[in-house]
């Protein structure tokens, strides 16, 4: 879909990367991130984005590092599937981000950066082991079918996915804990946006997949551990989304999903499907 | 014709746009009223012609990737795309699916105008609607066929 010559597209991409990771303590602008995401689809490559990130003096400034991580998260999530593959090759660079700030840093992003790096590496590792998923964990019928045929593999997939969900939950708690009364916290809130979307994608996937497994296997007992974990994650998400819905800046950007008060039944197939 | 309208026709001439591209540009202009039904209908009909189809999609693509200040371009390009998805040729559907990311990434479109009003909401909502339509093959098929039926009925009335 690109109508620009490749030189011009590259120049624009470099500009977008620079602007998305500017030193101002604000949210990285979506228009710049969008341009990067669209680039990965147009050119089926993300190599230039990674090299663009490396030539920016990002590691010298904690805000810039944090914004770069938000950007990395978003392109992994919404970009062309090739970004995930490229991302797996760039784990060393992502790791260096966590070593760039000593302690909590002068503006308090130190531990956020380290936790974000951990989360991203965990996510990438998940995709390494389960390459059939896309970045957003959109529910795709064939995956759930594939895994019910092999219940053991399905069990693994779900339990790994739940670990990722737990990581997201602990990271979002840390983001909330680092809000500062003296600032509008936009830069920190911006990190919550992909977290809300990703956690909801995972939640939807786990729900449909657990339901499918309950329909297919007779061993309801064998799945009891997953059910218990599912229920506790449901309440954690409910709390997370409730807290997000009070952030006016965040609700102006995305609509925060509304979960029912109690976890939906996984065994009874009459329960309404998720929105 | 207002000042902006004059400027647009000069640009149309200077950049050598084709007739159909001029129509798309008019339908997705920065004027504060929506594109007219007749105009969208003409555009949708033209998507059956392969040459026009490419020109239309190219122009819609440009408008979709416009900057925040021109949020009306983006919004109206989504409106036209939505219309063409419903009554345009099958190629529009194929093309839109292949390039779904362009619409999907608009779901987080932001723009605050000079008066401090958030005008991105319209774009976000429309982008959400279209992306969910694109992901739901059954619904898209049904909506397309019901539009065709309605058209046939209307055409029948016309003939009497």
């Amino acid at each position: 879909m690109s109508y620009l010559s490749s030189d011009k597209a590259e120049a624009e991409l470099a500009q977008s990367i620079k602007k998305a990771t500017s030193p101002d303590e604000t949210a990285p602008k979506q228009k710049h991130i969008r341009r990067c995401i669209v680039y990965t689809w147009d050119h089926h490559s993300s190599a230039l984005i990674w090299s663009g990130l490396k030539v920016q003096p990002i590691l010298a400034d904690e805000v810039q590092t944090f914004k770069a991580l938000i950007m990395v998260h978003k392109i992994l999530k919404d970009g062309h599937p090739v970004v995930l593959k490229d991302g797996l090759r760039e784990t060393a660079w992502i790791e260096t981000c966590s070593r760039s700030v000593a302690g909590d840093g002068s503006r308090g992003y130190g531990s956020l950066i380290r936790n974000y790096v951990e989360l991203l590496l965990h996510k990438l590792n998940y995709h390494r082991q389960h390459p059939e998923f896309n970045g957003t964990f959109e529910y795709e019928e064939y995956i759930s079918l594939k895994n019910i045929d092999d219940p053991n593999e399905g069990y693994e997939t779900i339990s790994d996915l739940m670990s990722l969900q737990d990581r997201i939950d602990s990271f979002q708690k840390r983001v909330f804990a680092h809000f500062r009364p003296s600032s509008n916290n936009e830069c920190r809130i911006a990190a919550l946006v992909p977290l809300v979307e990703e956690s909801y994608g995972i939640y939807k996937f786990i729900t449909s997949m657990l339901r499918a497994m309950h329909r297919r296997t007779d061993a309801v007992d064998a799945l009891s551990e997953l059910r218990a974990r599912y229920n506790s994650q449901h309440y954690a998400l409910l709390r997370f989304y409730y807290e997000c819905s009070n952030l006016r800046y965040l609700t102006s950007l995305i609509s925060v999903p509304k979960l029912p008060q109690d976890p939906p039944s996984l065994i009874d197939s009459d329960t309404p499907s998720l929105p | 014709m207002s000042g902006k309208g004059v400027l647009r026709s000069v640009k149309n001439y200077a950049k050598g746009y084709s007739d159909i591209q001029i129509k798309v540009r008019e339908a997705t202009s920065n004027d504060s009223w929506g594109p007219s039904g007749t105009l969208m209908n003409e555009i949708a009909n033209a998507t059956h012609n392969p040459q026009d189809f490419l020109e239309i999609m190219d122009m819609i693509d440009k408008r979709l990737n416009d900057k925040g200040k021109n949020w009306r371009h983006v919004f109206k390009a989504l409106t036209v795309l939505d219309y063409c998805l419903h009554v345009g040729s099958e190629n529009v559907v194929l093309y839109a699916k292949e390039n779904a990311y362009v619409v999907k990434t608009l779901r987080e479109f932001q723009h605050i105008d000079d008066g401090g009003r958030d005008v991105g909401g319209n774009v976000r909502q429309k982008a959400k609607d279209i992306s969910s339509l694109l992901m739901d093959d059954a619904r898209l098929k049904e909506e397309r066929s019901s539009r065709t039926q309605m058209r046939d009925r209307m055409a029948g009335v016309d003939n009497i």
Side-chain angles (χ1 to χ4, degrees):
Chain A
M1 233 208 203
S2 68
Y3 48 86
L4 296 170
S5 67
S6 61
D7 282 356
K8 204 172 166 211
E10 280 175 27
E12 274 197 357
L13 183 73
Q15 193 62 245
S16 300
I17 296 171
K18 196 174 164 189
K19 285 187 173 167
T21 57
S22 69
D24 315 323
E25 193 174 354
T26 51
K29 277 204 182 137
Q30 174 62 13
K31 65 173 167 186
H32 304 309
I33 293 181
R34 177 174 183 270
R35 187 152 270 164
C36 297
I37 294 172
V38 170
Y39 179 90
T40 66
W41 288 95
D42 282 343
H43 300 263
H44 293 206
S45 153
S46 64
L48 276 176
I49 297 182
W50 299 101
S51 58
L53 281 171
K54 284 176 204 163
V55 298
Q56 302 294 321
I58 282 169
L59 298 178
D61 182 291
E62 54 190 292
V63 172
Q64 276 182 283
T65 313
F66 192 65
K67 284 165 87 168
L69 291 173
I70 296 175
M71 177 165 145
V72 166
H73 193 185
K74 286 195 160 182
I75 59 169
L76 286 175
K77 201 167 76 57
D78 295 322
H80 188 272
V82 76
V83 185
L84 286 173
K85 286 206 191 84
D86 291 350
L88 278 167
R89 260 179 260 129
E90 301 292 343
T91 47
W93 179 78
I94 299 177
E95 269 174 72
T96 39
C97 290
S98 69
R99 287 192 291 271
S100 63
V101 201
D104 221 10
S106 54
R107 283 188 280 183
Y109 282 91
S111 70
L112 285 181
I113 289 171
R114 281 190 291 278
N115 276 277
Y116 211 162
V117 167
E118 251 172 58
L119 175 67
L120 291 178
L121 292 177
H122 191 92
K123 178 181 160 75
L124 281 169
N125 199 31
Y126 185 85
H127 286 292
R128 189 205 305 272
Q129 279 158 6
H130 304 275
E132 65 275 20
F133 281 95
N134 64 9
T136 42
F137 300 98
E138 268 161 15
Y139 176 60
E140 297 189 40
E141 199 88 33
Y142 71 94
I143 296 175
S144 59
L145 287 176
K146 178 189 154 217
N147 282 311
I148 319 161
D149 287 341
D150 182 357
N152 290 325
E153 200 189 325
Y155 195 97
E156 286 278 290
T157 306
I158 295 185
S159 129
D160 288 355
L161 209 45
M162 283 177 163
S163 312
L164 181 58
Q165 188 81 304
D166 285 340
R167 293 286 182 118
I168 293 177
D169 193 55
S170 64
F171 180 59
Q172 64 84 6
K173 283 197 184 118
R174 192 167 292 259
V175 176
F176 273 102
H178 276 74
F179 278 1
R180 293 201 166 173
S182 56
S183 95
N184 61 8
N185 291 316
E186 267 185 24
C187 186
R188 294 178 181 87
I189 292 174
L192 294 173
V193 174
L195 292 180
V196 168
E197 293 172 334
E198 189 155 296
S199 62
Y200 192 56
I202 294 176
Y203 175 78
K204 279 205 293 193
F205 187 85
I206 293 180
T207 308
S208 353
M209 185 122 151
L210 274 178
R211 277 186 179 156
M213 281 177 76
H214 277 89
R215 268 201 305 279
R216 284 285 198 91
T217 52
D218 303 323
V220 178
D221 290 347
L223 296 171
S224 66
E225 199 186 312
L226 286 185
R227 272 202 305 281
R229 217 167 151 198
Y230 175 81
N231 289 348
S232 73
Q233 289 198 337
H234 174 91
Y235 290 116
L237 269 189
L238 196 69
R239 238 186 343 266
F240 173 34
Y241 294 161
Y242 171 74
E243 274 162 20
C244 286
S245 65
N246 291 328
L247 300 172
R248 231 176 63 94
Y249 176 67
L250 189 133
T251 51
S252 75
L253 297 181
I254 51 167
S255 49
V256 180
K258 270 206 166 63
L259 298 187
Q261 191 58 46
D262 293 311
S265 163
L266 298 167
I267 301 165
D268 183 6
S269 54
D270 295 339
T271 40
S273 61
L274 297 162
Chain B
M1 204 186 272
S2 65
K4 268 185 178 172
V6 173
L7 184 63
R8 191 156 62 239
S9 56
V10 170
K11 267 195 193 166
N12 285 340
Y13 184 72
K15 297 209 172 175
Y17 287 125
S18 68
D19 287 351
I20 192 68
Q21 284 187 311
I22 291 171
K23 276 183 188 149
V24 179
R25 276 169 57 80
E26 197 186 326
T28 56
S29 68
N30 241 336
D31 303 328
S32 54
W33 51 87
S36 78
T38 14
L39 192 56
M40 286 204 287
N41 202 9
E42 275 179 54
I43 295 170
N45 281 337
T47 56
H48 292 279
N49 173 329
Q51 174 61 30
D52 286 352
F53 167 76
L54 287 179
E55 291 180 359
I56 292 168
M57 287 303 147
D58 187 42
M59 190 52 74
I60 289 184
D61 183 54
K62 273 185 196 160
R63 293 297 211 194
L64 284 178
N65 289 309
D66 218 325
K67 53 186 171 208
K69 196 166 73 93
N70 293 331
W71 63 274
R72 282 198 181 88
H73 285 173
V74 183
F75 180 68
K76 288 195 207 172
L78 286 171
T79 313
V80 174
L81 180 65
D82 193 30
Y83 190 89
C84 292
L85 277 174
H86 281 91
V87 301
S89 83
E90 194 68 34
N91 281 341
V92 179
V93 179
L94 292 175
Y95 182 88
K97 276 199 182 151
E98 191 146 310
N99 299 294
Y101 60 92
V102 176
V103 178
K104 269 193 192 172
T105 45
L106 286 173
R107 288 181 300 189
E108 282 176 50
F109 183 90
Q110 297 162 34
H111 183 67
I112 312 284
D113 71 3
D114 297 338
R117 210 160 48 96
D118 178 17
V119 290
N122 299 324
V123 174
R124 291 198 291 271
Q125 190 53 45
K126 194 111 204 150
K128 243 179 257 170
D129 292 347
I130 297 180
S131 6
S132 65
L133 181 67
L134 283 176
M135 282 192 274
D136 191 344
D137 283 335
R139 201 180 113 213
L140 186 56
K141 209 168 176 185
E142 192 197 303
E143 290 196 8
R144 279 177 66 81
S145 77
S146 73
R147 285 295 266 268
T148 328
Q149 272 172 17
M150 191 175 80
R151 269 184 151 199
D152 291 348
R153 275 214 310 279
M154 306 279 263
V157 172
D158 215 36
N159 287 339
I160 300 167

